[in-house]
Amino acid sequence: MAITLKTSYFSANSPNHVEFHEQSLIELIENGQIGQIIHQSDPDYQKTLTAAQTTDQLITIAPGHYLLPGFIDLHNHAPQWPQAGIALDRPLNDWLNHYTFPLEARFADLDYATAVYRDLVHTLLTNGTTSALYFGSIHNNANLKLAEICAQLGQRAFIGTVVMDNPEQTPANYRDVNSATALSKTRTFIQAIQNQHPDQLVQPVITPRFIPSCQTETLTQLGRLAQETQLRVQTHCSQSTWEHQYVLDRFGQTDSVVLQQFGLLNQHAVLAHATQLTTADQQLIKTEQAAIAHCPLSNAYFGNGVFPTKQLLDQQLKIGLGTDIAGGYSPSLYTNLQTAVTASQMRQDGVDARLPADSRGVADSRITTEEAFYLATAGGAASLAINAGQIKLGMLADFQIVQAAPQFTTLTPADQLTHLLFNHTAQQIKAVYVNGQLVHQKEQNWYDNAQ
Amino acid sequence: MAITLKTSYFSANSPNHVEFHEQSLIELIENGQIGQIIHQSDPDYQKTLTAAQTTDQLITIAPGHYLLPGFIDLHNHAPQWPQAGIALDRPLNDWLNHYTFPLEARFADLDYATAVYRDLVHTLLTNGTTSALYFGSIHNNANLKLAEICAQLGQRAFIGTVVMDNPEQTPANYRDVNSATALSKTRTFIQAIQNQHPDQLVQPVITPRFIPSCQTETLTQLGRLAQETQLRVQTHCSQSTWEHQYVLDRFGQTDSVVLQQFGLLNQHAVLAHATQLTTADQQLIKTEQAAIAHCPLSNAYFGNGVFPTKQLLDQQLKIGLGTDIAGGYSPSLYTNLQTAVTASQMRQDGVDARLPADSRGVADSRITTEEAFYLATAGGAASLAINAGQIKLGMLADFQIVQAAPQFTTLTPADQLTHLLFNHTAQQIKAVYVNGQLVHQKEQNWYDNAQ
């Protein structure tokens, strides 16, 4: 039975164009897509409204509430959720070896994994994140449990079993034995996800952790697997000065070039961070149509520089936003889109007021709220090549219904969007839909019908 | 009747020393102070506990909850609350003239002021802010209403009626007529606050907006008033390259020197922002024992550089944290203390990865979570010279009781504090006390007695 929502909504069609419509009629059809959108100016509006009322499938969103596309988290390490916000004062390799790897090793325990993943997926949904691209741990069982929980709670998920087998860069108790087991583990995981989730709400992703933690043979084999299966790939790329230099020292080339040579940088790839890219790297990523998961909070701690979001958006690279739990401390893409704007302003202004004002930062770096909103929605969808992230005919009905904070002045739609995105708490996300299904609601007062 | 709280707590005695105590007994006495603190290791612990139980004045905080000092917001423009998060992409003087001044002008309407201020003060309390240093608007009536609301809702408040009379830098419909009226308005306001709030929960502050918006005679008169009354002073200081240069052009000296010459920079002064200080300015502020309100979110947008928090903390300047509503978009000092740490890391790492790693930023700039916690509590209290901001015998009983987010691993006290401060939503602030009085509670499940 189709449902029609009567609601005002915002949707970013491009980085520079956010649509706003008041009290439109959005029909959700059984395949989980948006079957029809009728605006108030449409001649069929009244007829459609009456028809929806008559058949009692109309949900009228309460005043002061807005529908937005669900947010897409393009980089999230699910097993790091217990350490969100902890030890961010350590350098990346220290943080990995002393905090992160020991924590991830605990996910051999399926009960532990279940408790953590249930809390994480629930938390993301309550924060309006309808799709997530997850790094799991090295353990297939725990990763399949994450997939099961995403399916149960109704989140669209792309999950990788993490491959890491380089004995020089990984601890003995948390590493794949060798290339062959890493590869067979990955094949097994892919098969299991595809068998257990035929509806494709959850899909597998080939996931070499990053170049430092993988042996060369392993990168070769995973590249071939990516070529053979045409599946998505995720990895970290030029994340920090240390990591970038490590790859230069080992291969004499940058991450991007090395990944491309192994067949791991293509139109199915999502590269996390990428703060240290050279101009040639940026061009290569554009040519190969790979995507970048910009993680502004994490980058502030581990990136050793601010990602040039504005410049690469203008060059039409595919870019979305990631929380990078737990390199970033917040599970909320609201916090991350706010930080994306803030960090871009800081890139423009620089940090050291003792320098002349015009040489402190990088001119024309600032992104707008609209651009950040695009990144969290349509940019993420383009990066994952999913038919979502916009409120548009034929798109998957993945969205959030958000109550505006109290407001004491009349706002233009553009200011209303900024107010909504910057004055936000999870309390204001009243309902979340994935695939046309209500998967979370805070209270029942976000629609009028109950009143 | 005295109340005893049985609770674990964190308290920063200095930037580098945070105390943690488990299940201590904290007695609140009738004058609003902490009358006694007994730790578990104290020989009198059991006796004191039994006595409190017997007299039925014991409140046992529920497991997973912690008591922290209430946060102190050292810079907040109350009438800008309606535009939180809006138009931050404008340069400071444009933002002032096209958004901020027209909004503040609306506070001639007392009904409007009442609605906004009630929402703001309530929001700050629910975010754990027990004290705030407010800029009002230019209207005494609205500012007195703000004072009344703070007293009603139980927030400790320091409020200034804003002085701005320079016709070159202020709009005709939102300015004081001249120096004489600005001065007499300020005197009237001070008298009214002192008459209406004899308990001193609300106190008046001399408030020249900033040098650009004040005529020279007005700065002279307000400086004399500060000398005569020995009241607190608040103003903006070297906030942006534009503002800093404006003062250099007009007076041939920096803000700090000019303010000091007018008698507006002394041990009672709180200077907001201060991102553009010279080394000599920093030394002058230290010598004069003035305080700085560091507003990290606002600075990212308007500061044209990152405040050198670590360096000036190490030099033992008085520094606290401000939200700078609405130059900063968040009413939460949690968000601002997180951003203080993040911005300090960015100051250290710089923004432009194309530069050599060791010349991108400013070495040794990073502050720790403990230092940020100090800023939000004891640092703010030292800046206002109030006997609060720490959990300590004789201190004012201003605090918040916070529920930790779900946690899946055993944390050291230091990691627990970070987890508490970085994984935070206002939902987790369960109770807020000011002056030993419960002024806000979320639900009643933060203590055990009700169970």
Side-chain angles (χ1 to χ4, degrees):
Chain A
M1 188 171 78
I3 290 168
T4 295
L5 301 178
K6 178 163 174 256
T7 185
S8 301
Y9 71 88
F10 291 95
S11 176
N13 298 339
S14 74
N16 303 313
H17 186 232
V18 173
E19 282 194 12
F20 173 66
H21 295 284
E22 286 192 271
Q23 301 300 329
S24 296
L25 305 173
I26 302 175
E27 188 195 33
L28 317 186
I29 55 178
E30 291 197 21
N31 66 359
Q33 293 180 355
I34 297 172
Q36 179 172 255
I37 302 181
I38 308 283
H39 300 309
Q40 278 187 316
S41 58
D42 194 298
D44 285 345
Y45 185 83
Q46 199 52 51
K47 196 181 82 186
T48 310
L49 182 60
T50 307
Q53 279 165 332
T54 311
T55 55
D56 201 19
Q57 300 162 348
L58 180 72
I59 297 175
T60 303
I61 308 303
H65 292 64
Y66 297 87
L67 184 138
L68 308 178
F71 284 164
I72 296 168
D73 185 349
L74 215 51
H75 186 53
N76 187 314
H77 290 271
Q80 294 175 21
W81 177 229
Q83 75 178 22
I86 293 172
L88 291 176
D89 52 342
R90 307 299 178 101
L92 180 59
N93 50 343
D94 183 19
W95 179 80
L96 284 171
N97 290 313
H98 291 99
Y99 284 82
T100 306
F101 291 157
L103 173 60
E104 291 193 11
R106 293 186 61 181
F107 286 74
D109 174 351
L110 207 56
D111 289 340
Y112 187 69
T114 303
V116 171
Y117 289 160
R118 207 172 275 288
D119 188 66
L120 171 64
V121 176
H122 172 73
T123 300
L124 294 177
L125 283 170
T126 60
N127 277 284
T129 301
T130 51
S131 293
L133 175 55
Y134 289 113
F135 275 60
S137 62
I138 66 169
H139 317 96
N140 274 5
N141 283 346
N143 299 331
L144 291 170
K145 178 56 76 175
L146 172 60
E148 183 188 320
I149 290 168
C150 290
Q152 277 172 359
L153 300 184
Q155 187 182 49
R156 194 178 302 287
F158 304 85
I159 302 175
T161 191
V162 168
V163 168
M164 46 193 283
D165 69 342
N166 181 0
E168 289 170 19
Q169 291 289 333
T170 56
N173 68 343
Y174 189 59
R175 129 186 355 142
D176 296 306
V177 178
N178 56 36
S179 288
T181 57
L183 189 74
S184 72
K185 172 187 86 170
T186 300
R187 285 191 182 278
T188 304
F189 178 74
I190 292 169
Q191 199 64 58
I193 291 280
Q194 290 175 336
N195 289 343
Q196 292 168 23
H197 302 278
D199 64 359
Q200 302 197 320
L201 189 72
V202 181
Q203 297 181 34
V205 183
I206 295 167
T207 306
R209 185 172 201 115
F210 61 168
I211 294 172
S213 57
C214 293
Q215 298 193 82
T216 303
E217 172 64 12
T218 308
L219 294 166
T220 307
Q221 293 295 336
L222 290 180
R224 286 187 190 148
L225 186 66
Q227 176 68 25
E228 170 197 326
T229 59
Q230 294 291 300
L231 285 174
R232 292 181 185 82
V233 174
Q234 63 181 336
T235 192
H236 301 79
C237 176
S238 294
Q239 176 174 7
S240 71
T241 49
W242 165 77
E243 192 269 339
H244 190 68
Q245 191 59 47
Y246 171 92
V247 176
L248 284 171
D249 291 344
R250 179 165 148 198
F251 289 103
Q253 304 269 19
T254 61
D255 285 42
S256 303
V257 173
V258 173
L259 289 170
Q260 196 253 1
Q261 287 171 349
F262 284 118
L264 292 164
L265 192 147
N266 58 34
Q267 77 272 30
H268 306 303
V270 178
L271 310 172
H273 307 300
T275 54
Q276 304 291 321
L277 298 181
T278 66
T279 307
D281 292 337
Q282 294 167 354
Q283 193 52 53
L284 179 65
I285 291 169
K286 181 177 177 175
T287 306
E288 295 289 347
Q289 299 180 277
I292 295 172
H294 173 38
C295 307
L297 258 185
S298 171
N299 291 352
Y301 287 91
F302 296 128
N304 305 125
V306 176
F307 180 71
T309 316
K310 176 66 178 167
Q311 180 200 339
L312 299 188
L313 264 182
D314 287 351
Q315 292 178 28
Q316 300 186 302
L317 270 72
K318 291 192 287 188
I319 310 174
L321 277 187
T323 59
D324 190 25
I325 291 296
Y329 57 79
S330 171
S332 162
L333 275 180
Y334 284 85
T335 306
N336 276 282
L337 80 76
Q338 293 159 4
T339 307
V341 177
T342 304
S344 74
Q345 179 76 51
M346 292 172 77
R347 180 173 165 86
Q348 181 156 317
D349 284 349
V351 297
D352 187 356
R354 297 169 305 183
L355 302 175
D358 58 2
S359 64
R360 275 175 215 157
V362 185
D364 300 325
S365 288
R366 191 184 192 285
I367 62 168
T368 62
T369 304
E370 287 76 9
E371 286 165 329
F373 179 57
Y374 168 85
L375 293 175
T377 56
S383 299
L384 287 168
I386 57 174
N387 194 26
Q390 295 178 59
I391 310 301
K392 207 164 135 182
L393 187 68
M395 287 274 169
L396 291 163
D398 292 3
F399 37 66
Q400 50 185 322
I401 291 157
V402 186
Q403 183 183 30
Q407 139 185 344
F408 299 94
T409 187
T410 307
L411 300 177
T412 63
D415 284 347
Q416 177 61 64
L417 178 67
T418 306
H419 190 261
L420 210 55
L421 297 176
F422 277 74
N423 291 275
H424 159 81
T425 71
Q427 287 304 302
Q428 287 155 241
I429 302 177
K430 296 300 181 183
V432 176
Y433 282 79
V434 176
N435 240 15
Q437 304 294 318
L438 181 67
V439 298
H440 165 71
Q441 68 177 340
K442 193 99 214 150
E443 295 125 8
Q444 296 204 345
N445 58 359
W446 54 274
Y447 56 92
D448 279 342
N449 309 44
Q451 295 168 358
Chain B
M1 187 171 80
I3 291 169
T4 295
L5 300 178
K6 179 164 173 256
T7 185
S8 301
Y9 72 87
F10 291 95
S11 177
N13 298 339
S14 73
N16 303 314
H17 186 233
V18 173
E19 282 195 11
F20 174 66
H21 294 283
E22 287 191 270
Q23 302 300 328
S24 296
L25 305 173
I26 301 175
E27 188 194 31
L28 317 186
I29 54 179
E30 290 198 23
N31 66 358
Q33 294 181 354
I34 296 173
Q36 178 172 258
I37 302 181
I38 307 283
H39 301 309
Q40 277 188 317
S41 58
D42 194 298
D44 284 345
Y45 185 81
Q46 198 53 49
K47 196 182 80 187
T48 310
L49 182 60
T50 306
Q53 278 166 333
T54 310
T55 55
D56 200 19
Q57 300 162 348
L58 180 72
I59 298 176
T60 303
I61 309 302
H65 291 65
Y66 297 86
L67 184 139
L68 307 179
F71 285 164
I72 295 167
D73 185 348
L74 215 51
H75 187 51
N76 187 314
H77 290 271
Q80 295 176 20
W81 177 228
Q83 73 179 21
I86 294 172
L88 292 177
D89 53 341
R90 306 300 179 99
L92 180 59
N93 49 342
D94 183 19
W95 178 82
L96 284 172
N97 291 313
H98 291 99
Y99 285 82
T100 306
F101 291 157
L103 173 60
E104 291 193 12
R106 292 185 62 182
F107 285 74
D109 175 351
L110 208 56
D111 289 340
Y112 186 69
T114 303
V116 171
Y117 289 160
R118 208 172 274 288
D119 189 66
L120 171 63
V121 176
H122 173 73
T123 300
L124 293 178
L125 283 171
T126 61
N127 278 284
T129 300
T130 50
S131 293
L133 175 55
Y134 289 112
F135 275 60
S137 63
I138 67 170
H139 317 96
N140 274 5
N141 284 345
N143 299 330
L144 290 170
K145 180 55 79 175
L146 172 60
E148 182 187 321
I149 290 168
C150 290
Q152 278 172 359
L153 300 184
Q155 188 183 50
R156 193 179 303 286
F158 304 85
I159 302 177
T161 191
V162 168
V163 167
M164 45 192 285
D165 69 341
N166 180 359
E168 289 170 21
Q169 291 288 334
T170 56
N173 68 342
Y174 189 61
R175 123 182 8 136
D176 295 307
V177 177
N178 55 37
S179 288
T181 58
L183 189 74
S184 72
K185 172 186 85 170
T186 301
R187 284 190 182 277
T188 304
F189 178 73
I190 291 168
Q191 199 64 58
I193 291 281
Q194 290 175 335
N195 288 342
Q196 292 168 24
H197 303 276
D199 64 358
Q200 302 198 320
L201 188 72
V202 181
Q203 298 182 34
V205 183
I206 296 168
T207 306
R209 185 174 202 115
F210 61 169
I211 295 171
S213 58
C214 292
Q215 299 193 83
T216 304
E217 172 64 12
T218 308
L219 295 167
T220 307
Q221 293 296 335
L222 290 180
R224 286 187 190 147
L225 185 65
Q227 177 68 24
E228 169 197 328
T229 60
Q230 294 290 303
L231 286 174
R232 292 182 185 82
V233 173
Q234 62 180 338
T235 192
H236 301 80
C237 177
S238 294
Q239 175 175 8
S240 70
T241 50
W242 166 77
E243 191 269 339
H244 189 69
Q245 190 59 47
Y246 171 91
V247 177
L248 283 171
D249 292 344
R250 180 166 147 198
F251 289 102
Q253 305 268 20
T254 60
D255 284 43
S256 303
V257 173
V258 174
L259 289 170
Q260 196 253 1
Q261 288 170 348
F262 284 119
L264 293 165
L265 192 146
N266 57 34
Q267 77 272 31
H268 306 302
V270 178
L271 311 172
H273 308 302
T275 55
Q276 304 290 320
L277 298 181
T278 64
T279 306
D281 292 338
Q282 294 166 355
Q283 192 53 51
L284 179 64
I285 291 170
K286 181 176 175 176
T287 305
E288 295 289 347
Q289 299 180 278
I292 296 172
H294 172 39
C295 308
L297 259 182
S298 171
N299 291 352
Y301 287 91
F302 297 128
N304 306 125
V306 176
F307 179 72
T309 315
K310 174 67 177 166
Q311 181 201 337
L312 298 188
L313 265 182
D314 287 352
Q315 292 177 28
Q316 302 186 299
L317 270 72
K318 290 192 286 186
I319 310 173
L321 278 186
T323 58
D324 191 24
I325 290 296
Y329 55 80
S330 172
S332 164
L333 275 181
Y334 285 85
T335 306
N336 277 282
L337 78 78
Q338 293 159 6
T339 306
V341 177
T342 304
S344 75
Q345 179 76 51
M346 293 172 76
R347 180 172 166 86
Q348 182 156 317
D349 284 349
V351 297
D352 187 355
R354 296 168 304 182
L355 302 175
D358 58 3
S359 64
R360 275 175 215 157
V362 184
D364 300 325
S365 288
R366 191 184 194 284
I367 62 168
T368 62
T369 304
E370 286 76 9
E371 286 166 329
F373 179 56
Y374 168 84
L375 293 175
T377 56
S383 299
L384 287 169
I386 55 174
N387 193 25
Q390 296 178 58
I391 309 302
K392 207 164 135 182
L393 186 68
M395 287 274 170
L396 291 163
D398 291 3
F399 37 65
Q400 48 185 325
I401 291 158
V402 186
Q403 182 183 33
Q407 135 186 347
F408 299 96
T409 187
T410 307
L411 300 177
T412 62
D415 285 347
Q416 178 60 64
L417 178 67
T418 306
H419 190 261
L420 209 56
L421 297 176
F422 278 74
N423 291 275
H424 158 82
T425 71
Q427 287 304 303
Q428 288 156 241
I429 301 177
K430 296 301 181 182
V432 176
Y433 282 78
V434 176
N435 241 13
Q437 303 294 317
L438 181 67
V439 298
H440 165 70
Q441 68 177 341
K442 194 98 213 150
E443 296 127 9
Q444 297 204 344
N445 57 359
W446 54 275
Y447 55 92
D448 279 343
N449 308 43
Q451 294 169 2

